[in-house]
Amino acid sequence: MSEMTPSSKLPIVRIESLYKAYQGTEVLKGISMAVQEQDVVVIIGPSGTGKSTLLRCINLLAIPDKGQIWLDDIEVTAPHTNIDKVRQRIGMVFQEFNLFNHLTALNNVTIGMTRVLKMKSKEAQEKAMWELERVGLVDKAALFPAQLSGGQKQRVAIARALGMNPEVMLFDEPTSALDPELIGEVLNVMQKLAYEGMTMLVVTHEMGFAREVSDRIVFMEKGVIVEEGPPKQLFYNPKFERTRDFLWKITELYGKDEEKKS
Amino acid sequence: MEILQDLALLFRYLLAGTGVTLAVSAIAISLGFAFGVTLAIMRVYGGCFLSRFALIYSTAVRAIPVVVIIFLLYFVIASAVDLSPFLSGALALGFSSAAYQSEVFRGAFQSVSGGQMLAARALGMGRMQAIRFVILPQAIRLAIPPWSNEAAIVLKDSSLVYILGVPEILRRAEYVSAVTLQPFLAFGAAAIIYFILTFLTNRGLDWLERHYRILT
Amino acid sequence: MDALVTFLQRVTPDFLQGIVTTLYLTVVALTLGVVIGLPAALARVYGPRWLHNLAVTYIEIFRGTPLLVQLFVVYYGLPAIGSLFGLPGVGITLGRLPAAFVTLGLNSGAYQAEYFRGAIQAVGSGQMTAARALGMTKMQAIIYIILPQALRLAIPAWSNEAVSMIKYTAIVFLIAVPDIMGKAKILAGRYFNPIEIYIAVALIYLVLVTIATWLVHILERRLAVPEYHLESARH
């Protein structure tokens, strides 16, 4: 159980005793955590520890076997919850971008607004341009995904998620599929979002981002949360050997992550 | 009871058509294979004349319905040689299938990377040798999935030799239908037999594909 | 030369009628094929278990049996289907043309369903995931995200089917539909020159198919489709 910061408000995302198994292998073994509004929580850990699965459970793209998830005061995992409505309040950014290939960048952003939020076309376009401006891609609005670089694709994906006015943004290894020189532009956008007060849950290997931007780091291994706390604590004074070992390995692997920023 | 005995007899008569169907199909597929591979080699590795001939043959024959080819061949051959309907039908099917199979193998040949031919020639192999020992073995394996598709098509198209009166499944079904006045049962039974044949063929060919798959 | 002119004078009107019938059959069969095949593909990929199974059964039956047998079942068999339940004389009787349409349509639908399914799967599951993540319902995702992409990917295989349909319609002459082959049989019987007649038939089909292929190429280029080949396309 994580320590809840003394706050009069309900956490915006609450996960309680989450279990999930894939084909016999248990991937999540009793995960519990809470995320407050405007928190930026970074989840780290070895590959295959269920970090992505955890994220996908939050908007029920993966269905947990046991446990509960709350978005604000709505229980996401309850059987009668309208999950499509819940997903409108959660934005998700994928490792493989998943941009809609047949639509321009602009239309990728507007389609959720017009078809799901039922906004009027003109309004949606204005908002979409605003979001594209936010991620720095206004000049690419009329281009198709095939004509964009990886970093640009991911930024459009972020704009697409932002267009829905989400209360929480989930990032599932947003930079893992990008060439090294394109990672920076995406991390910059994410940092900007964090400073603007967006509640974010990020699964990543980017330690620089984790150290500089997050409010809290959660270290997961073998399906359980080993340790969580503010970046300073985890990096310089971790409670567990395993945490220290992992961070050592990962910073060696990713080495000079200072250079990658911007 | 009598009815059931009759039915059993008729069903056995129908089933006997399976042999004819399979025979026609086997001859057609084999002829199609031999001629098809040849055409493909002519098309990909042949000189100007051979290549063009293969192209014309493939394009023209694939543009004509199989029934037309069967009729044409039958009437043309009937005026020259005295060939049984069985053989004319099987041959017509074979020549038709050859055109489609040539496309299958052409695609397969072209899928085997050019580097293979280069490496073979670099070893000192002649062109024909390279084709025989390096390209062909790989191409044939790559060709198995689309070829299996073609084989299944030939099996189903064998029903078309019905028009020449060949006593395969469909022709017999017609007879059974006339005798029993039960067209739905007769043709339905024929359909079921074909379905089983196609199913087994596909299974068998799937096994072949899995067994000989080239892992790249 | 004279013989040729006489020949052409005799056969042209009938053949022209035959060509019209063939083209008519082709267009109707193709349309029915889409109307049946696309929903079948969607049912197979996205439908609940029972719908999926129904679609697979339909597709497997019509792809696993010869077209001619299907035609006979529909034209000769259905009128007597009642006998299966002990009700002789009760059945579905279709005229020649309707029987031809129904059979060709159902047959083509099954093959088209597989082409559409291939295209839907080629679009990639990530697209559906992203659409659902935005809050779209499954239906919305299918209509606005999957289908626009899948239909474009299906164009090569579909246009192949369209051109081939011209050939498939040939068998309907066996239930006395006066298409090209049907007319040919009549003419051959009238003038006793089967070889010339059937050579003419072959040439007619060659011309029709060539024109159709050419038209389809132009259409394909207009719709700017990415390279996508389905291996199990049929003739």
Side-chain angles (χ1 to χ4, degrees):
Chain A
M1 261 320 272
S2 68
E3 235 88 80
M4 298 231 296
T5 49
S7 160
S8 51
K9 288 177 95 186
L10 258 164
I12 191 144
V13 173
R14 196 158 38 104
I15 300 170
E16 233 158 75
S17 305
L18 212 62
Y19 285 83
K20 177 142 185 78
Y22 273 125
Q23 288 156 317
T25 332
E26 255 205 316
V27 172
L28 293 175
K29 301 184 191 152
I31 303 281
S32 298
M33 58 182 282
V35 180
Q36 299 290 345
E37 260 185 82
Q38 305 202 355
D39 269 1
V40 175
V41 177
V42 172
I43 305 174
I44 61 174
S47 296
T49 43
K51 313 191 298 287
S52 290
T53 312
L54 175 62
L55 230 58
R56 287 180 185 222
C57 283
I58 297 178
N59 63 356
L60 270 188
L61 283 177
I63 302 180
D65 300 325
K66 260 189 282 182
Q68 284 132 348
I69 302 177
W70 274 269
L71 176 70
D72 220 346
D73 53 351
I74 299 204
E75 190 195 333
V76 172
T77 40
H80 296 296
T81 312
N82 184 341
I83 190 61
D84 293 320
K85 280 229 139 57
V86 170
R87 288 181 183 147
Q88 291 173 25
R89 301 165 62 188
I90 304 176
M92 188 155 203
V93 176
F94 303 90
Q95 181 177 343
E96 333 79 59
F97 329 127
N98 286 340
L99 285 185
F100 303 134
N101 301 307
H102 61 303
L103 301 173
T104 59
L106 183 69
N107 286 333
N108 259 275
V109 183
T110 58
I111 195 160
M113 294 189 241
T114 51
R115 298 296 177 190
V116 180
L117 299 179
K118 313 284 189 211
M119 280 171 78
K120 291 236 166 4
S121 182
K122 194 155 177 296
E123 262 184 76
Q125 287 201 13
E126 277 170 18
K127 177 135 176 31
M129 288 302 269
W130 196 73
E131 297 299 346
L132 283 173
E133 161 110 50
R134 215 166 154 191
V135 304
L137 285 175
V138 167
D139 54 335
K140 308 271 188 246
L143 295 183
F144 286 88
Q147 300 165 292
L148 300 171
S149 75
Q152 292 166 338
K153 284 195 200 127
Q154 196 60 298
R155 285 190 279 154
V156 173
I158 295 176
R160 176 177 65 179
L162 289 174
M164 306 292 285
N165 272 341
E167 293 163 45
V168 183
M169 285 279 280
L170 305 175
F171 293 84
D172 188 357
E173 301 211 33
T175 56
S176 297
L178 294 175
D179 290 333
E181 68 271 13
L182 301 171
I183 294 181
E185 60 192 75
V186 175
L187 290 180
N188 279 345
V189 169
M190 289 168 65
Q191 188 167 13
K192 202 164 101 151
L193 279 178
Y195 288 162
E196 285 171 3
M198 173 65 74
T199 314
M200 296 162 59
L201 255 109
V202 183
V203 171
T204 185
H205 296 295
E206 293 296 317
M207 290 303 133
F209 179 85
R211 215 169 26 216
E212 301 293 322
V213 184
S214 70
D215 297 309
R216 200 160 91 238
I217 298 184
V218 172
F219 172 52
M220 268 179 75
E221 198 191 43
K222 299 205 186 99
V224 290
I225 295 180
V226 174
E227 193 176 337
E228 58 176 309
K232 280 208 175 59
Q233 179 206 310
L234 246 79
F235 273 95
Y236 301 116
N237 213 359
K239 286 197 205 126
F240 292 92
E241 270 308 307
R242 290 148 79 185
T243 317
R244 194 197 308 268
D245 286 343
F246 176 77
L247 286 171
W248 234 50
K249 229 186 296 181
I250 201 89
T251 24
E252 241 181 42
L253 205 65
Y254 282 78
K256 301 132 192 94
D257 50 10
E258 323 290 300
E259 271 140 75
K260 275 204 225 113
K261 278 202 313 192
S262 109
Chain B
M1 243 324 107
E2 259 236 11
I3 307 173
L4 269 139
Q5 271 184 336
D6 286 341
L7 240 87
L9 212 77
L10 286 167
F11 194 70
R12 232 177 304 141
Y13 174 70
L14 193 59
L15 217 57
T18 310
V20 182
T21 294
L22 287 174
V24 171
S25 306
I27 295 176
I29 294 177
S30 316
L31 174 58
F33 178 79
F35 195 23
V37 174
T38 313
L39 283 168
I41 294 182
M42 280 163 59
R43 177 86 177 267
V44 179
Y45 299 108
C48 191
F49 173 71
L50 285 176
S51 173
R52 203 166 293 171
F53 171 76
L55 174 63
I56 293 178
Y57 181 90
S58 159
T59 316
V61 173
R62 283 184 308 142
I64 304 173
V66 187
V67 266
V68 178
I69 296 179
I70 293 177
F71 259 15
L72 253 180
L73 221 105
Y74 181 69
F75 287 113
V76 167
I77 290 190
S79 61
V81 178
D82 190 20
L83 223 55
S84 68
F86 171 83
L87 220 47
S88 334
L91 287 177
L93 220 58
F95 282 119
S96 168
S97 182
Y100 294 97
Q101 290 195 42
S102 80
E103 286 300 301
V104 166
F105 290 117
R106 175 176 79 97
F109 280 137
Q110 291 174 332
S111 293
V112 178
S113 81
Q116 300 287 302
M117 177 59 100
L118 282 175
R121 299 309 296 279
L123 281 175
M125 284 194 203
R127 200 141 195 246
M128 265 304 129
Q129 278 190 314
I131 293 176
R132 203 173 134 211
F133 297 118
V134 176
I135 309 283
L136 207 61
Q138 295 186 60
I140 290 197
R141 286 203 188 124
L142 283 174
I144 292 182
W147 189 87
S148 314
N149 192 48
E150 178 58 34
I153 291 178
V154 171
L155 183 59
K156 284 179 276 177
D157 279 352
S158 70
S159 60
L160 295 172
V161 303
Y162 152 92
I163 61 182
L164 298 182
V166 178
E168 41 75 63
I169 298 173
L170 187 58
R171 192 40 93 153
R172 292 183 185 225
E174 195 183 45
Y175 176 74
V176 171
S177 159
V179 163
T180 60
L181 300 175
Q182 298 275 31
F184 188 80
L185 280 173
F187 292 120
I192 292 177
I193 298 177
Y194 271 112
F195 185 79
I196 295 176
L197 285 176
T198 316
F199 184 78
L200 290 173
T201 310
N202 281 333
R203 273 295 137 97
L205 290 169
D206 275 346
W207 176 87
L208 200 81
E209 183 200 341
R210 245 175 299 130
H211 202 81
Y212 287 107
R213 185 179 295 171
I214 302 179
L215 293 157
T216 27
Chain C
M1 195 53 324
D2 278 328
L4 185 61
V5 174
T6 328
F7 177 76
L8 286 175
Q9 279 176 329
R10 283 172 168 179
V11 303
T12 308
D14 284 286
F15 270 147
L16 279 177
Q17 286 179 332
I19 293 175
V20 168
T21 310
T22 293
L23 291 176
Y24 182 39
L25 283 161
T26 307
V27 170
V28 173
L30 270 176
T31 313
L32 278 176
V34 178
V35 165
I36 298 172
L38 188 55
L42 288 173
R44 180 162 182 174
V45 180
Y46 297 117
R49 181 126 281 247
W50 67 271
L51 199 60
H52 163 96
N53 289 342
L54 197 70
V56 171
T57 309
Y58 156 67
I59 293 171
E60 289 303 298
I61 289 179
F62 278 92
R63 288 185 64 212
T65 49
L67 179 57
L68 189 53
V69 175
Q70 293 166 11
L71 187 63
F72 280 11
V73 169
V74 169
Y75 186 62
Y76 294 118
L78 281 186
I81 193 173
S83 56
L84 214 62
F85 311 107
L87 297 160
V90 172
I92 311 168
T93 311
L94 294 167
R96 298 179 219 283
L97 222 51
F101 289 146
V102 166
T103 312
L104 288 168
L106 284 171
N107 184 278
S108 182
Y111 284 93
Q112 289 194 43
E114 284 301 277
Y115 303 149
F116 288 131
R117 175 169 81 103
I120 291 172
Q121 290 174 332
V123 168
S125 57
Q127 298 286 297
M128 176 58 96
T129 310
R132 294 312 299 278
L134 281 177
M136 285 193 196
T137 61
K138 210 180 208 186
M139 200 32 71
Q140 284 180 318
I142 292 175
I143 298 177
Y144 299 119
I145 306 298
I146 305 290
L147 278 184
Q149 300 185 61
L151 289 177
R152 289 208 187 97
L153 285 176
I155 290 176
W158 193 90
S159 42
N160 189 51
E161 171 78 7
V163 173
S164 299
M165 181 57 78
I166 299 176
K167 292 181 286 172
Y168 305 143
T169 58
I171 55 145
V172 301
F173 83 96
L174 289 168
I175 56 171
V177 171
D179 69 331
I180 298 175
M181 270 303 270
K183 288 290 185 180
K185 203 149 184 251
I186 296 173
L187 287 167
R190 197 188 298 162
Y191 298 114
F192 304 111
N193 54 351
I195 298 184
E196 288 95 331
I197 295 287
Y198 291 119
I199 291 181
V201 168
L203 288 172
I204 293 176
Y205 275 109
L206 217 131
V207 168
L208 285 177
V209 167
T210 308
I211 296 178
T213 310
W214 176 73
L215 280 173
V216 145
H217 269 166
I218 297 183
L219 218 80
E220 270 185 36
R221 229 176 301 142
R222 281 285 215 78
L223 294 165
V225 161
E227 267 297 312
Y228 179 61
H229 293 291
L230 274 169
E231 286 181 86
S232 338
R234 57 169 176 169
H235 294 176

